[in-house]
């Protein structure tokens, strides 16, 4: 029961996170979307400062990844501890 709540909470966080940062990326050049594919000069003129956006994306992504990594370890699933560690190692391989 608790596993379902935690899982759906993570899904509810990941879905909007994906959409929000996708739109931030698309509209980082404000209304001039083609500026992303033009010369460097046009990027400097039309692009907004994306350092804060990228930092927020990275921090939130790291927190969600950590939550997904820890979730199988702390939840009472019908698995042995060895199986839980193996599953977590599979998730950890994505860090490479």
């Amino acid at each position: 029961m608790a596993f379902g709540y935690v899982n759906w909470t993570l899904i509810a966080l990941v879905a909007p996170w994906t959409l929000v940062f996708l739109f931030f990326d698309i509209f980082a050049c404000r209304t001039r979307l083609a500026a992303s594919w033009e010369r460097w000069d046009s990027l400097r003129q039309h692009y907004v400062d994306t350092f804060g956006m990228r930092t927020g994306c990275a921090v939130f992504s790291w927190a969600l990844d950590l939550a997904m990594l820890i979730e199988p370890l702390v939840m009472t699933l019908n698995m042995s501890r060895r199986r839980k560690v193996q599953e977590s190692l599979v998730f950890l391989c994505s860090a490479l």
Side-chain angles (χ1 to χ4, degrees):
M1 188 72 129
F3 181 75
Y5 288 130
V6 171
N7 237 5
W8 281 107
T9 302
L10 285 173
I11 290 170
L13 288 172
V14 168
W17 170 84
T18 303
L19 291 175
V20 165
F21 285 105
L22 175 69
F23 283 114
F24 277 164
D25 251 1
I26 290 172
F27 295 109
C29 288
R30 297 184 184 97
T31 58
R32 186 139 185 248
L33 301 179
S36 295
W37 294 278
E38 292 177 0
R39 298 182 321 251
W40 284 107
D41 296 339
S42 65
L43 282 177
R44 289 189 188 123
Q45 292 170 358
H46 300 287
Y47 229 62
V48 296
D49 183 23
T50 58
F51 179 75
M53 178 187 73
R54 302 275 180 202
T55 304
C57 179
V59 168
F60 202 71
S61 177
W62 181 82
L64 286 175
D65 289 347
L66 189 63
M68 285 184 236
L69 177 67
I70 292 174
E71 182 185 18
L73 290 175
V74 297
M75 301 305 288
T76 55
L77 302 175
N78 293 329
M79 292 187 222
S80 65
R81 178 155 313 270
R82 182 174 182 236
R83 178 83 174 150
K84 287 182 185 182
V85 170
Q86 287 173 342
E87 184 176 324
S88 295
L89 288 174
V90 168
F91 285 126
L92 188 62
C93 286
S94 68
L96 296 175

